[in-house]
Amino acid sequence: MTRFSFKPRGYPTGSMPTEEKPYRVYRGGRTKGKVPLERPERARPDPNGRKPREPKIRRPRRRWGWKRRLGVGLLVLLVLATVWGIAGYLSFRNGVEKANARLDKSVPPVLANQNGLLLSKPTTMLLLGRDHENTDQRVGLNNSDSVMILRTDPSRHRLVYLSIPRDLRVPIPGHGEDRINAAFPIGGAALTIRTIQNLTGLEINHVMIVDFRSFKNLIDNVGGIDVNVPAPILSNKFDCPYSASRCARWQGYRFNKGTQHMNGQRALIYSRIRENRLNPADSDITRGLRQQAVIRAVMAKLLGFGTALNLPFNGNSLLNPLTTDLSAWQFIQLGWVLKRAGQTNALHCRLGGTATSIGGASVIVGNEDNLSVVQMVTGRAAPQPPRPGSGQYGPGCVVGNRQFR
């Protein structure tokens, strides 16, 4: 059998090449010479004679670092918060303007001028609560069931609440002596302001009227309120919410001692209780104190952060139960003052006197201790509780969470 051998041309038999081969192997075959380089494509000449554009060079994208992402995120949140705040303020301002429009035109002329901002200057505000739907026969139509003065002192971060019993017998300008709550149906808020100014000597800068008829809707809109109940309560049978057969067995509304979360209906019932069957010493003054506790809780909730978040949605209707001369900017100032002062060192005062009956009507006749209480409210005298033996209507002041005896 003949063997065939292959010998590369140009090399002696038995020898192998040692230098690099003069070719490279590519996918399409082998080619001699140097490795071919990629040549940029030449731009075709424009038929109109214009020069071709330079080829665009794409730069590689840089990935965002965490600092840049954090900065953009904060900027987006700031923009959203600004838009949300503006929308909430405009909605709230619209609601305040409606509350201003409900105020009788005779009220602003009798109010004392506010000297400076509420943020830096003391102010005195009259809070009136009225209840059109109370079924108690002792309450006439459109009477002011709750009468309270709120005095702020931003320089000392102090709040003073002055409670005035609705049955306190006082001189009503142009109408003789009567219970103080009679001033409202006779001459509205303007006559009530004049009556209280003559009685206490305090200048009233602002007024806020709370309508308990729709107050429960406001409380529900802000998510309920927290109220500290000082003592257990079992009310008499009024406004029974059940059927006739069940109401016959029903004992009344119950409230345990301590802080409780109340919805609008529950808070309204708490404000209306006139008789505590667990404590015969409860009086109309304690009922007024309950109403004022509800009003304070609502004001604190109105000025809270959670309510501010919902202002774009309900700011227009939130103040439906209120009538006031305060502007939207003054509301914001008042909220800041109330938050800075808090309730821990707040001064709670009340006017009072001796309970009696005049013309078949139960009234409270004041005494000289009421003048001392006014001095405590203005800071000219140290706070003092009711004098021993002054009874359940004794005038005086207590600090913080202390209760009147």
Short mmCIF file of all heavy atoms in Angstrom, two decimals, residues 56-115:
data_model
loop_
_atom_site.label_atom_id
_atom_site.label_comp_id
_atom_site.label_asym_id
_atom_site.label_seq_id
_atom_site.Cartn_x
_atom_site.Cartn_y
_atom_site.Cartn_z
N LYS A 56 -23.33 61.46 15.98
CA LYS A 56 -23.55 61.69 17.41
C LYS A 56 -22.85 60.62 18.23
O LYS A 56 -22.88 59.44 17.89
CB LYS A 56 -25.04 61.68 17.74
CG LYS A 56 -25.80 62.84 17.10
CD LYS A 56 -27.27 62.80 17.52
CE LYS A 56 -28.03 63.96 16.91
NZ LYS A 56 -29.46 63.95 17.31
N ILE A 57 -22.23 61.10 19.25
CA ILE A 57 -21.54 60.18 20.17
C ILE A 57 -22.39 60.04 21.43
O ILE A 57 -22.63 61.02 22.13
CB ILE A 57 -20.12 60.68 20.51
CG1 ILE A 57 -19.30 60.85 19.23
CG2 ILE A 57 -19.45 59.73 21.48
CD1 ILE A 57 -17.93 61.44 19.48
N ARG A 58 -22.88 58.88 21.69
CA ARG A 58 -23.71 58.64 22.87
C ARG A 58 -22.84 58.40 24.09
O ARG A 58 -21.97 57.52 24.08
CB ARG A 58 -24.62 57.43 22.65
CG ARG A 58 -25.64 57.64 21.55
CD ARG A 58 -26.56 56.45 21.46
NE ARG A 58 -27.57 56.66 20.43
CZ ARG A 58 -28.52 55.75 20.15
NH1 ARG A 58 -28.56 54.61 20.81
NH2 ARG A 58 -29.39 56.02 19.19
N ARG A 59 -23.12 59.22 25.09
CA ARG A 59 -22.38 59.06 26.33
C ARG A 59 -23.05 58.03 27.22
O ARG A 59 -24.28 57.96 27.27
CB ARG A 59 -22.29 60.39 27.08
CG ARG A 59 -21.52 61.46 26.31
CD ARG A 59 -21.49 62.76 27.09
NE ARG A 59 -20.74 63.78 26.36
CZ ARG A 59 -20.59 65.02 26.80
NH1 ARG A 59 -21.12 65.38 27.97
NH2 ARG A 59 -19.90 65.89 26.08
N PRO A 60 -22.30 57.28 27.90
CA PRO A 60 -22.91 56.26 28.79
C PRO A 60 -23.67 56.93 29.93
O PRO A 60 -23.21 57.93 30.50
CB PRO A 60 -21.70 55.47 29.30
CG PRO A 60 -20.53 56.40 29.14
CD PRO A 60 -20.83 57.23 27.93
N ARG A 61 -24.86 56.40 30.26
CA ARG A 61 -25.67 56.96 31.35
C ARG A 61 -25.08 56.63 32.71
O ARG A 61 -24.63 55.51 32.94
CB ARG A 61 -27.10 56.42 31.28
CG ARG A 61 -27.86 56.86 30.04
CD ARG A 61 -29.28 56.33 30.10
NE ARG A 61 -30.05 56.77 28.95
CZ ARG A 61 -31.33 56.43 28.75
NH1 ARG A 61 -31.95 55.67 29.62
NH2 ARG A 61 -31.96 56.87 27.68
N ARG A 62 -25.12 57.64 33.55
CA ARG A 62 -24.65 57.41 34.92
C ARG A 62 -25.81 57.00 35.81
O ARG A 62 -26.88 57.59 35.75
CB ARG A 62 -24.02 58.69 35.49
CG ARG A 62 -22.75 59.12 34.78
CD ARG A 62 -22.19 60.37 35.44
NE ARG A 62 -20.97 60.80 34.79
CZ ARG A 62 -20.28 61.88 35.17
NH1 ARG A 62 -20.72 62.62 36.20
NH2 ARG A 62 -19.18 62.21 34.53
N ARG A 63 -25.61 56.03 36.60
CA ARG A 63 -26.64 55.60 37.55
C ARG A 63 -26.73 56.57 38.72
O ARG A 63 -25.71 57.07 39.19
CB ARG A 63 -26.32 54.20 38.07
CG ARG A 63 -26.42 53.12 37.00
CD ARG A 63 -26.22 51.76 37.61
NE ARG A 63 -26.39 50.70 36.63
CZ ARG A 63 -26.30 49.40 36.92
NH1 ARG A 63 -26.03 49.02 38.18
NH2 ARG A 63 -26.46 48.51 35.96
N TRP A 64 -28.00 56.82 39.17
CA TRP A 64 -28.21 57.74 40.30
C TRP A 64 -27.71 57.11 41.58
O TRP A 64 -28.05 55.95 41.90
CB TRP A 64 -29.70 58.07 40.44
CG TRP A 64 -30.19 59.02 39.40
CD1 TRP A 64 -29.54 59.40 38.27
CD2 TRP A 64 -31.42 59.74 39.40
NE1 TRP A 64 -30.28 60.29 37.56
CE2 TRP A 64 -31.45 60.52 38.23
CE3 TRP A 64 -32.50 59.79 40.27
CZ2 TRP A 64 -32.51 61.35 37.91
CZ3 TRP A 64 -33.56 60.61 39.96
CH2 TRP A 64 -33.56 61.38 38.79
N GLY A 65 -26.99 57.92 42.35
CA GLY A 65 -26.58 57.48 43.67
C GLY A 65 -27.68 57.70 44.69
O GLY A 65 -28.70 58.35 44.43
N TRP A 66 -27.49 57.18 45.89
CA TRP A 66 -28.55 57.28 46.91
C TRP A 66 -28.75 58.72 47.35
O TRP A 66 -29.86 59.12 47.70
CB TRP A 66 -28.19 56.41 48.12
CG TRP A 66 -26.99 56.86 48.89
CD1 TRP A 66 -25.70 56.49 48.69
CD2 TRP A 66 -26.98 57.78 49.98
NE1 TRP A 66 -24.87 57.12 49.57
CE2 TRP A 66 -25.63 57.92 50.39
CE3 TRP A 66 -27.95 58.50 50.65
CZ2 TRP A 66 -25.24 58.74 51.43
CZ3 TRP A 66 -27.59 59.32 51.70
CH2 TRP A 66 -26.24 59.43 52.08
N LYS A 67 -27.69 59.55 47.30
CA LYS A 67 -27.86 60.95 47.68
C LYS A 67 -28.77 61.69 46.70
O LYS A 67 -29.63 62.48 47.10
CB LYS A 67 -26.50 61.63 47.76
CG LYS A 67 -25.62 61.14 48.90
CD LYS A 67 -24.33 61.94 48.95
CE LYS A 67 -23.47 61.49 50.12
NZ LYS A 67 -22.19 62.23 50.19
N ARG A 68 -28.55 61.39 45.42
CA ARG A 68 -29.38 62.06 44.41
C ARG A 68 -30.82 61.60 44.50
O ARG A 68 -31.75 62.40 44.38
CB ARG A 68 -28.82 61.78 43.03
CG ARG A 68 -29.43 62.62 41.92
CD ARG A 68 -28.73 62.38 40.61
NE ARG A 68 -29.26 63.24 39.56
CZ ARG A 68 -28.86 63.21 38.29
NH1 ARG A 68 -27.90 62.35 37.94
NH2 ARG A 68 -29.39 64.01 37.40
N ARG A 69 -31.01 60.30 44.70
CA ARG A 69 -32.38 59.79 44.84
C ARG A 69 -33.07 60.38 46.06
O ARG A 69 -34.26 60.72 46.01
CB ARG A 69 -32.34 58.26 44.94
CG ARG A 69 -31.87 57.57 43.66
CD ARG A 69 -31.84 56.07 43.83
NE ARG A 69 -31.36 55.40 42.62
CZ ARG A 69 -31.23 54.09 42.51
NH1 ARG A 69 -31.56 53.29 43.53
NH2 ARG A 69 -30.79 53.57 41.39
N LEU A 70 -32.34 60.46 47.18
CA LEU A 70 -32.91 61.04 48.38
C LEU A 70 -33.29 62.50 48.17
O LEU A 70 -34.36 62.96 48.59
CB LEU A 70 -31.93 60.91 49.55
CG LEU A 70 -32.38 61.47 50.91
CD1 LEU A 70 -33.63 60.75 51.38
CD2 LEU A 70 -31.27 61.34 51.93
N GLY A 71 -32.42 63.25 47.49
CA GLY A 71 -32.71 64.66 47.25
C GLY A 71 -33.94 64.86 46.39
O GLY A 71 -34.79 65.71 46.67
N VAL A 72 -34.06 64.05 45.33
CA VAL A 72 -35.24 64.16 44.46
C VAL A 72 -36.50 63.76 45.20
O VAL A 72 -37.56 64.39 45.06
CB VAL A 72 -35.03 63.30 43.19
CG1 VAL A 72 -36.31 63.25 42.36
CG2 VAL A 72 -33.89 63.84 42.36
N GLY A 73 -36.39 62.70 46.02
CA GLY A 73 -37.56 62.27 46.79
C GLY A 73 -38.03 63.35 47.76
O GLY A 73 -39.23 63.59 47.89
N LEU A 74 -37.07 64.00 48.44
CA LEU A 74 -37.45 65.07 49.36
C LEU A 74 -38.07 66.25 48.62
O LEU A 74 -39.01 66.88 49.12
CB LEU A 74 -36.22 65.53 50.15
CG LEU A 74 -35.64 64.53 51.16
CD1 LEU A 74 -34.37 65.08 51.79
CD2 LEU A 74 -36.67 64.21 52.24
N LEU A 75 -37.54 66.54 47.44
CA LEU A 75 -38.10 67.63 46.65
C LEU A 75 -39.54 67.34 46.23
O LEU A 75 -40.41 68.21 46.31
CB LEU A 75 -37.23 67.88 45.42
CG LEU A 75 -37.68 69.01 44.49
CD1 LEU A 75 -37.68 70.34 45.24
CD2 LEU A 75 -36.77 69.10 43.27
N VAL A 76 -39.78 66.09 45.81
CA VAL A 76 -41.15 65.71 45.42
C VAL A 76 -42.09 65.81 46.62
O VAL A 76 -43.22 66.32 46.52
CB VAL A 76 -41.15 64.29 44.83
CG1 VAL A 76 -42.58 63.79 44.62
CG2 VAL A 76 -40.40 64.26 43.51
N LEU A 77 -41.64 65.33 47.79
CA LEU A 77 -42.48 65.42 48.99
C LEU A 77 -42.75 66.87 49.37
O LEU A 77 -43.87 67.21 49.79
CB LEU A 77 -41.79 64.69 50.15
CG LEU A 77 -41.76 63.16 50.09
CD1 LEU A 77 -40.99 62.60 51.28
CD2 LEU A 77 -43.18 62.60 50.08
N LEU A 78 -41.75 67.73 49.21
CA LEU A 78 -41.94 69.14 49.54
C LEU A 78 -42.97 69.78 48.62
O LEU A 78 -43.83 70.55 49.06
CB LEU A 78 -40.60 69.88 49.44
CG LEU A 78 -40.63 71.38 49.74
CD1 LEU A 78 -41.09 71.63 51.16
CD2 LEU A 78 -39.25 72.00 49.50
N VAL A 79 -42.90 69.44 47.34
CA VAL A 79 -43.88 70.00 46.39
C VAL A 79 -45.28 69.50 46.71
O VAL A 79 -46.25 70.28 46.72
CB VAL A 79 -43.47 69.63 44.95
CG1 VAL A 79 -44.57 70.02 43.97
CG2 VAL A 79 -42.17 70.31 44.57
N LEU A 80 -45.41 68.19 46.99
CA LEU A 80 -46.72 67.64 47.32
C LEU A 80 -47.27 68.26 48.60
O LEU A 80 -48.47 68.58 48.69
CB LEU A 80 -46.62 66.12 47.48
CG LEU A 80 -46.38 65.33 46.19
CD1 LEU A 80 -46.23 63.84 46.51
CD2 LEU A 80 -47.53 65.53 45.20
N ALA A 81 -46.40 68.42 49.62
CA ALA A 81 -46.85 69.03 50.88
C ALA A 81 -47.29 70.47 50.68
O ALA A 81 -48.28 70.92 51.27
CB ALA A 81 -45.74 68.95 51.92
N THR A 82 -46.57 71.20 49.80
CA THR A 82 -46.94 72.59 49.53
C THR A 82 -48.29 72.67 48.84
O THR A 82 -49.15 73.47 49.21
CB THR A 82 -45.86 73.26 48.67
OG1 THR A 82 -44.60 73.19 49.35
CG2 THR A 82 -46.21 74.71 48.41
N VAL A 83 -48.47 71.83 47.83
CA VAL A 83 -49.75 71.82 47.11
C VAL A 83 -50.89 71.40 48.04
O VAL A 83 -51.97 72.00 48.04
CB VAL A 83 -49.67 70.87 45.89
CG1 VAL A 83 -51.04 70.72 45.23
CG2 VAL A 83 -48.66 71.40 44.88
N TRP A 84 -50.63 70.38 48.86
CA TRP A 84 -51.64 69.91 49.81
C TRP A 84 -51.98 71.00 50.82
O TRP A 84 -53.15 71.21 51.16
CB TRP A 84 -51.14 68.66 50.52
CG TRP A 84 -52.20 67.87 51.23
CD1 TRP A 84 -52.70 68.08 52.48
CD2 TRP A 84 -52.91 66.75 50.71
NE1 TRP A 84 -53.66 67.16 52.79
CE2 TRP A 84 -53.82 66.33 51.72
CE3 TRP A 84 -52.87 66.07 49.51
CZ2 TRP A 84 -54.67 65.25 51.54
CZ3 TRP A 84 -53.71 64.98 49.33
CH2 TRP A 84 -54.60 64.59 50.34
N GLY A 85 -50.96 71.69 51.32
CA GLY A 85 -51.20 72.75 52.29
C GLY A 85 -51.99 73.91 51.72
O GLY A 85 -52.90 74.44 52.37
N ILE A 86 -51.67 74.28 50.48
CA ILE A 86 -52.40 75.38 49.84
C ILE A 86 -53.85 74.99 49.62
O ILE A 86 -54.77 75.78 49.88
CB ILE A 86 -51.72 75.78 48.52
CG1 ILE A 86 -50.34 76.38 48.80
CG2 ILE A 86 -52.57 76.76 47.73
CD1 ILE A 86 -49.53 76.67 47.55
N ALA A 87 -54.07 73.76 49.13
CA ALA A 87 -55.44 73.30 48.90
C ALA A 87 -56.22 73.23 50.21
O ALA A 87 -57.39 73.63 50.28
CB ALA A 87 -55.43 71.93 48.22
N GLY A 88 -55.57 72.74 51.29
CA GLY A 88 -56.24 72.67 52.58
C GLY A 88 -56.57 74.04 53.13
O GLY A 88 -57.65 74.26 53.68
N TYR A 89 -55.63 74.97 53.00
CA TYR A 89 -55.87 76.33 53.52
C TYR A 89 -57.01 77.01 52.76
O TYR A 89 -57.87 77.66 53.38
CB TYR A 89 -54.60 77.16 53.40
CG TYR A 89 -54.79 78.61 53.80
CD1 TYR A 89 -54.87 78.97 55.15
CD2 TYR A 89 -54.93 79.61 52.85
CE1 TYR A 89 -55.07 80.28 55.54
CE2 TYR A 89 -55.12 80.93 53.22
CZ TYR A 89 -55.19 81.26 54.57
OH TYR A 89 -55.40 82.56 54.93
N LEU A 90 -57.04 76.87 51.44
CA LEU A 90 -58.11 77.50 50.66
C LEU A 90 -59.47 76.91 51.03
O LEU A 90 -60.47 77.64 51.14
CB LEU A 90 -57.84 77.32 49.17
CG LEU A 90 -56.61 78.06 48.62
CD1 LEU A 90 -56.41 77.74 47.15
CD2 LEU A 90 -56.73 79.56 48.84
N SER A 91 -59.51 75.59 51.23
CA SER A 91 -60.77 74.96 51.63
C SER A 91 -61.19 75.42 53.02
O SER A 91 -62.36 75.73 53.27
CB SER A 91 -60.62 73.44 51.58
OG SER A 91 -61.81 72.80 52.00
N PHE A 92 -60.21 75.46 53.94
CA PHE A 92 -60.50 75.90 55.31
C PHE A 92 -60.93 77.37 55.33
O PHE A 92 -61.85 77.74 56.04
CB PHE A 92 -59.26 75.69 56.17
CG PHE A 92 -59.41 76.13 57.60
CD1 PHE A 92 -60.21 75.43 58.48
CD2 PHE A 92 -58.75 77.25 58.07
CE1 PHE A 92 -60.36 75.83 59.80
CE2 PHE A 92 -58.89 77.66 59.37
CZ PHE A 92 -59.69 76.95 60.24
N ARG A 93 -60.26 78.20 54.54
CA ARG A 93 -60.62 79.61 54.49
C ARG A 93 -62.03 79.81 53.98
O ARG A 93 -62.77 80.69 54.46
CB ARG A 93 -59.63 80.36 53.60
CG ARG A 93 -59.81 81.87 53.62
CD ARG A 93 -58.85 82.56 52.69
NE ARG A 93 -59.11 82.23 51.29
CZ ARG A 93 -58.43 82.74 50.27
NH1 ARG A 93 -57.41 83.57 50.50
NH2 ARG A 93 -58.72 82.39 49.04
N ASN A 94 -62.44 78.99 53.03
CA ASN A 94 -63.80 79.08 52.53
C ASN A 94 -64.80 78.76 53.63
O ASN A 94 -65.85 79.41 53.77
CB ASN A 94 -63.98 78.13 51.35
CG ASN A 94 -65.28 78.34 50.61
OD1 ASN A 94 -65.83 79.44 50.59
ND2 ASN A 94 -65.79 77.29 49.99
N GLY A 95 -64.49 77.73 54.45
CA GLY A 95 -65.36 77.39 55.57
C GLY A 95 -65.40 78.49 56.61
O GLY A 95 -66.46 78.77 57.20
N VAL A 96 -64.25 79.13 56.88
CA VAL A 96 -64.21 80.24 57.85
C VAL A 96 -65.02 81.43 57.35
O VAL A 96 -65.73 82.08 58.13
CB VAL A 96 -62.75 80.65 58.12
CG1 VAL A 96 -62.69 81.90 58.98
CG2 VAL A 96 -62.00 79.51 58.81
N GLU A 97 -64.93 81.71 56.06
CA GLU A 97 -65.71 82.83 55.51
C GLU A 97 -67.21 82.59 55.66
O GLU A 97 -67.97 83.53 55.92
CB GLU A 97 -65.33 83.03 54.04
CG GLU A 97 -63.93 83.59 53.85
CD GLU A 97 -63.53 83.66 52.39
OE1 GLU A 97 -64.29 83.12 51.54
OE2 GLU A 97 -62.47 84.24 52.08
N LYS A 98 -67.64 81.35 55.52
CA LYS A 98 -69.06 81.05 55.74
C LYS A 98 -69.43 81.24 57.20
O LYS A 98 -70.53 81.72 57.52
CB LYS A 98 -69.36 79.62 55.30
CG LYS A 98 -69.26 79.39 53.81
CD LYS A 98 -69.58 77.95 53.45
CE LYS A 98 -69.49 77.71 51.95
NZ LYS A 98 -69.76 76.30 51.59
N ALA A 99 -68.51 80.84 58.11
CA ALA A 99 -68.76 81.05 59.54
C ALA A 99 -68.82 82.53 59.88
O ALA A 99 -69.59 82.96 60.74
CB ALA A 99 -67.69 80.34 60.37
N ASN A 100 -68.00 83.34 59.20
CA ASN A 100 -68.04 84.80 59.40
C ASN A 100 -69.35 85.39 58.89
O ASN A 100 -69.91 86.31 59.50
CB ASN A 100 -66.87 85.46 58.68
CG ASN A 100 -65.52 85.06 59.23
OD1 ASN A 100 -64.52 85.12 58.54
ND2 ASN A 100 -65.46 84.62 60.49
N ALA A 101 -69.84 84.85 57.77
CA ALA A 101 -71.08 85.38 57.18
C ALA A 101 -72.29 85.09 58.06
O ALA A 101 -73.29 85.82 58.00
CB ALA A 101 -71.29 84.79 55.79
N ARG A 102 -72.21 84.03 58.88
CA ARG A 102 -73.33 83.71 59.78
C ARG A 102 -73.40 84.63 60.99
O ARG A 102 -74.40 84.63 61.71
CB ARG A 102 -73.23 82.24 60.23
CG ARG A 102 -73.52 81.23 59.15
CD ARG A 102 -73.65 79.83 59.72
NE ARG A 102 -72.37 79.29 60.15
CZ ARG A 102 -71.57 78.56 59.39
NH1 ARG A 102 -71.91 78.31 58.13
NH2 ARG A 102 -70.43 78.09 59.85
N LEU A 103 -72.35 85.38 61.27
CA LEU A 103 -72.32 86.26 62.43
C LEU A 103 -73.16 87.50 62.18
O LEU A 103 -73.07 88.12 61.11
CB LEU A 103 -70.87 86.66 62.74
CG LEU A 103 -70.64 87.44 64.03
CD1 LEU A 103 -70.97 86.57 65.24
CD2 LEU A 103 -69.19 87.92 64.11
N ASP A 104 -73.99 87.84 63.15
CA ASP A 104 -74.84 89.01 63.02
C ASP A 104 -74.00 90.28 62.89
O ASP A 104 -72.95 90.42 63.54
CB ASP A 104 -75.77 89.11 64.23
CG ASP A 104 -76.88 90.12 64.03
OD1 ASP A 104 -76.65 91.30 64.33
OD2 ASP A 104 -77.96 89.73 63.56
N LYS A 105 -74.45 91.20 62.07
CA LYS A 105 -73.71 92.42 61.81
C LYS A 105 -73.59 93.32 63.04
O LYS A 105 -72.72 94.20 63.08
CB LYS A 105 -74.39 93.21 60.68
CG LYS A 105 -74.52 92.45 59.37
CD LYS A 105 -73.17 92.03 58.83
CE LYS A 105 -73.32 91.30 57.48
NZ LYS A 105 -72.01 90.83 56.96
N SER A 106 -74.41 93.08 64.05
CA SER A 106 -74.35 93.91 65.26
C SER A 106 -73.23 93.51 66.20
O SER A 106 -72.95 94.21 67.18
CB SER A 106 -75.69 93.85 66.01
OG SER A 106 -75.96 92.52 66.44
N VAL A 107 -72.56 92.36 65.94
CA VAL A 107 -71.56 91.85 66.87
C VAL A 107 -70.21 92.56 66.74
O VAL A 107 -69.64 93.00 67.76
CB VAL A 107 -71.40 90.33 66.70
CG1 VAL A 107 -70.26 89.80 67.57
CG2 VAL A 107 -72.70 89.62 67.06
N PRO A 108 -69.62 92.69 65.54
CA PRO A 108 -68.29 93.31 65.46
C PRO A 108 -68.16 94.67 66.12
O PRO A 108 -67.12 94.94 66.75
CB PRO A 108 -68.04 93.39 63.94
CG PRO A 108 -68.85 92.26 63.38
CD PRO A 108 -70.08 92.19 64.23
N PRO A 109 -69.17 95.56 66.05
CA PRO A 109 -68.99 96.87 66.70
C PRO A 109 -68.82 96.81 68.21
O PRO A 109 -68.23 97.73 68.79
CB PRO A 109 -70.27 97.63 66.32
CG PRO A 109 -70.73 96.98 65.06
CD PRO A 109 -70.39 95.54 65.22
N VAL A 110 -69.34 95.77 68.88
CA VAL A 110 -69.23 95.71 70.34
C VAL A 110 -67.98 94.96 70.79
O VAL A 110 -67.69 94.91 72.00
CB VAL A 110 -70.48 95.06 70.96
CG1 VAL A 110 -71.73 95.83 70.59
CG2 VAL A 110 -70.61 93.61 70.52
N LEU A 111 -67.24 94.38 69.86
CA LEU A 111 -66.01 93.68 70.22
C LEU A 111 -64.87 94.67 70.37
O LEU A 111 -64.76 95.64 69.62
CB LEU A 111 -65.65 92.64 69.14
CG LEU A 111 -66.58 91.43 69.00
CD1 LEU A 111 -66.18 90.59 67.78
CD2 LEU A 111 -66.57 90.58 70.26
N ALA A 112 -64.01 94.41 71.35
CA ALA A 112 -62.83 95.25 71.54
C ALA A 112 -61.78 94.92 70.48
O ALA A 112 -61.66 93.77 70.05
CB ALA A 112 -62.24 95.03 72.93
N ASN A 113 -61.05 95.90 70.04
CA ASN A 113 -60.05 95.72 69.00
C ASN A 113 -58.91 94.83 69.49
O ASN A 113 -58.42 94.99 70.60
CB ASN A 113 -59.51 97.07 68.55
CG ASN A 113 -58.54 96.94 67.38
OD1 ASN A 113 -58.77 96.13 66.48
ND2 ASN A 113 -57.47 97.70 67.40
N GLN A 114 -58.52 93.86 68.65
CA GLN A 114 -57.39 92.99 68.98
C GLN A 114 -56.09 93.77 68.80
O GLN A 114 -55.75 94.20 67.69
CB GLN A 114 -57.39 91.75 68.08
CG GLN A 114 -56.18 90.87 68.22
CD GLN A 114 -56.13 90.17 69.58
OE1 GLN A 114 -57.14 89.68 70.06
NE2 GLN A 114 -54.97 90.14 70.19
N ASN A 115 -55.35 93.95 69.88
CA ASN A 115 -54.12 94.72 69.85
C ASN A 115 -52.95 93.82 69.47
O ASN A 115 -52.31 93.20 70.31
CB ASN A 115 -53.86 95.37 71.21
CG ASN A 115 -52.66 96.28 71.19
OD1 ASN A 115 -52.23 96.73 70.13
ND2 ASN A 115 -52.11 96.56 72.36
#
